[in-house]
Amino acid sequence: MAVNDEEHRRASSRAEEFLQVFKKGAEFTQELLKENERLRFQVLRLQEAQKKSTPAGSDNEEIVRLQRRIDELEQEKSEILDRIKEVEAENLDFANRYVDIENENNMLANLYIASYQLHSTLDFNEVLQIILEIIINLIGGEQFAIMLLDEKNKYLKGFAAEGLEVDELPEITLGDGIIGTMAQTGENYFVDDLEGYQKDFTNPMVCIPLKIKEHVIGVIVIYSLLEQKSKFAEVDYELFTLLAGHAATAIFSSKLYSESERKLSTIQGFIDLMTK
Amino acid sequence: MTTYKVLIVEDSPTMRQLIVFALKRLRGLQIVEANDGVDGLKKLSTEKFDLILTDINMPIMDGLKLVSLVRNDPSYKEVPIVIITTEGANEDRERALALGANEYITKPIQTTKIIEAATRLLGL
């Protein structure tokens, strides 16, 4: 009986122990369930947050559309920039052409003034003076001369000069050297090496025949240019030829006028003598 | 419209005409011409000018003497002066500018430069 009691007591103690363990297990399970619930809730919240930050399918389409639009605009921008470059190049071209036309306009205006001045008088010396002024102010000559042809004796003689004395100039026979040859052929002469040119009265740096149509009446010879004029501009060559034509006509007319004036004066004197 | 009076002092009639023709492209200019420095001074004493353009090498009185006299005249102390000359050396330019010239343009004629200088100095 005592043994039974003892066994009964032991069994009851073990049952109590088991109950205690079971209770602890139940509490632990409860805690795990709570933790599980809390974590689930947190996962849900994170998923929602991610949903908000990550675009959905329709948002992706919008992005693709916008990207396409950006590409189009980039293309458009590139085309506009190309067009701007083209317009800038055109503008530059127009500006250069404007400068060219302006220069040509200035040259023509100057030529108009020069020819107007040349034909403004019939005084031979005044005409020669005007030619000298034109060569200084329009062409930039420093030492130069006007030589006229003695048609009877076939030689050229200095009549007016600037920067040198007329007497210094040699008489040139028609056909001799550069001056004589240019007077004979009627062609313009420009020395090849302008910088290396050394002054020589028989070999000028420039020789321009004074022509009325094909008839040469003299030449303009240039021996040096102004310090600031290192070379001839394109327009100068044109200017030389045009001026030479006007100068020749002016010289020829004034010479004829002077001669006729002289003859008239002689005849008038003779008539006066006869009628007295 | 404001009218500006411009005096051109130049012994060469051809060069004077070239300058006059160039300046005629600007509106509102009244141009007076003088043959040399003395003639220029006479005109300056009787009329008021807004701009003077002068050559250097002239008979009777050269352009530098004219610049010097004009700059010493209180009534013309501020009037702009443009030199148009054959003298292309730097010393000539510096001398003219030191005497009081505002602009120094060399020959042969540079129409564009003359127009630009007149436009700028007159504030057109």
Side-chain angles (χ1 to χ4, degrees):
Chain A
M1 196 62 183
V3 173
N4 283 342
D5 284 346
E6 183 63 22
E7 277 177 4
H8 182 73
R9 195 179 51 83
R10 275 185 198 163
S12 142
S13 163
R14 254 187 255 143
E16 207 158 316
E17 255 174 54
F18 176 75
L19 198 63
Q20 283 297 324
V21 171
F22 184 78
K23 270 185 185 174
K24 275 185 183 173
E27 277 172 13
F28 185 65
T29 307
Q30 280 295 330
E31 270 176 32
L32 278 176
L33 283 171
K34 271 184 190 173
E35 184 62 19
N36 184 277
E37 191 67 21
R38 195 182 65 78
L39 287 170
R40 272 171 181 269
F41 181 69
Q42 206 161 346
V43 166
L44 271 174
R45 272 175 58 194
L46 284 170
Q47 277 175 344
E48 269 174 27
Q50 200 180 5
K51 259 187 197 173
K52 276 178 192 168
S53 64
T54 311
S58 61
D59 289 342
N60 280 337
E61 276 171 25
E62 183 64 12
I63 283 171
V64 170
R65 196 187 65 78
L66 287 171
Q67 190 61 52
R68 205 175 299 135
R69 185 74 187 123
I70 286 168
D71 290 345
E72 282 169 13
L73 290 171
E74 283 287 336
Q75 175 72 21
E76 221 168 289
K77 187 182 125 190
S78 159
E79 282 170 14
I80 290 169
L81 284 173
D82 286 347
R83 184 75 191 115
I84 287 171
K85 272 183 196 166
E86 274 173 33
V87 170
E88 275 174 353
E90 266 172 34
N91 273 351
L92 190 69
D93 186 42
F94 280 131
N96 289 336
R97 277 166 62 187
Y98 177 80
V99 170
D100 287 347
I101 290 167
E102 186 69 16
N103 287 339
E104 208 163 309
N105 188 25
N106 288 340
M107 198 266 279
L108 288 171
N110 292 343
L111 189 67
Y112 166 75
I113 297 293
S115 39
Y116 180 83
Q117 288 293 114
L118 275 172
H119 299 295
S120 65
T121 178
L122 282 169
D123 183 291
F124 178 65
N125 290 322
E126 217 175 308
V127 168
L128 291 181
Q129 184 55 39
I130 291 169
I131 296 170
L132 297 182
E133 284 180 14
I134 289 169
I135 297 170
I136 299 172
N137 295 306
L138 252 74
I139 289 163
E142 188 185 38
Q143 291 182 306
F144 54 92
I146 301 163
M147 298 180 88
L148 297 180
L149 180 67
D150 182 330
E151 299 208 23
K152 198 173 158 191
N153 299 307
K154 303 284 179 200
Y155 71 86
L156 292 142
K157 188 184 171 209
F159 267 77
E162 179 68 36
L164 51 97
E165 294 297 320
V166 175
D167 301 339
E168 289 180 83
L169 294 164
E171 284 181 0
I172 308 275
T173 308
L174 194 65
D176 273 6
I178 290 169
I179 300 173
T181 308
M182 296 306 129
Q184 198 169 43
T185 60
E187 286 171 18
N188 291 350
Y189 169 81
F190 296 92
V191 73
D192 291 332
D193 179 18
L194 200 63
E195 282 177 20
Y197 172 77
Q198 295 287 318
K199 190 172 112 183
D200 175 355
F201 285 127
T202 55
N203 294 306
M205 64 162 59
V206 176
C207 180
I208 308 292
L210 296 165
K211 289 192 292 188
I212 299 168
K213 291 201 172 171
E214 293 311 307
H215 180 64
V216 176
I217 63 152
V219 292
I220 292 171
V221 281
I222 299 180
Y223 297 103
S224 73
L225 299 173
L226 293 171
E227 189 183 343
Q228 59 272 21
K229 177 104 179 177
S230 56
K231 58 179 182 177
F232 290 116
E234 265 315 301
V235 292
D236 286 337
Y237 299 101
E238 237 171 295
L239 205 59
F240 270 125
T241 311
L242 292 166
L243 279 179
H246 281 287
T249 319
I251 289 172
F252 192 73
S253 314
S254 61
K255 251 179 122 180
L256 280 182
Y257 183 76
S258 302
E259 278 167 24
S260 60
E261 278 282 285
R262 204 169 49 241
K263 278 179 189 166
L264 181 70
S265 165
T266 311
I267 292 165
Q268 192 64 55
F270 185 69
I271 292 169
D272 287 348
L273 197 70
M274 295 290 285
T275 52
K276 265 186 185 173
Chain B
M1 189 180 171
T2 318
T3 303
Y4 297 97
K5 280 185 100 171
V6 180
L7 177 66
I8 299 170
V9 189
E10 166 69 65
D11 60 322
S12 157
T14 307
M15 187 61 189
R16 271 205 314 271
Q17 287 314 303
L18 290 168
I19 299 171
V20 169
F21 206 78
L23 291 178
K24 273 188 177 169
R25 294 191 202 177
L26 302 174
R27 286 188 179 183
L29 297 192
Q30 191 190 330
I31 300 165
V32 177
E33 298 171 44
N35 299 320
D36 54 59
V38 172
D39 191 19
L41 276 182
K42 270 186 204 162
K43 282 174 174 145
L44 283 164
S45 66
T46 53
E47 294 175 69
K48 180 82 185 156
F49 290 94
D50 303 294
L51 175 68
I52 301 166
L53 291 99
T54 180
D55 185 14
I56 289 184
N57 299 320
M58 290 182 290
I60 309 174
M61 183 194 285
D62 69 32
L64 292 179
K65 179 79 182 162
L66 176 71
V67 172
S68 167
L69 289 171
V70 166
R71 280 292 174 252
N72 285 322
D73 182 341
S75 57
Y76 277 109
K77 222 173 172 56
E78 300 300 323
V79 70
I81 302 173
V82 178
I83 301 268
I84 303 172
T85 179
T86 52
E87 308 299 328
N90 270 337
E91 340 34 300
D92 295 315
R93 176 186 294 269
E94 280 160 18
R95 198 170 154 220
L97 296 175
L99 280 171
N102 299 74
E103 190 72 53
Y104 193 92
I105 299 170
T106 53
K107 292 179 186 178
I109 188 163
Q110 301 182 73
T111 310
T112 314
K113 278 196 177 177
I114 293 172
I115 294 171
E116 275 171 9
T119 307
R120 183 166 45 80
L121 294 168
L122 289 171
L124 297 173

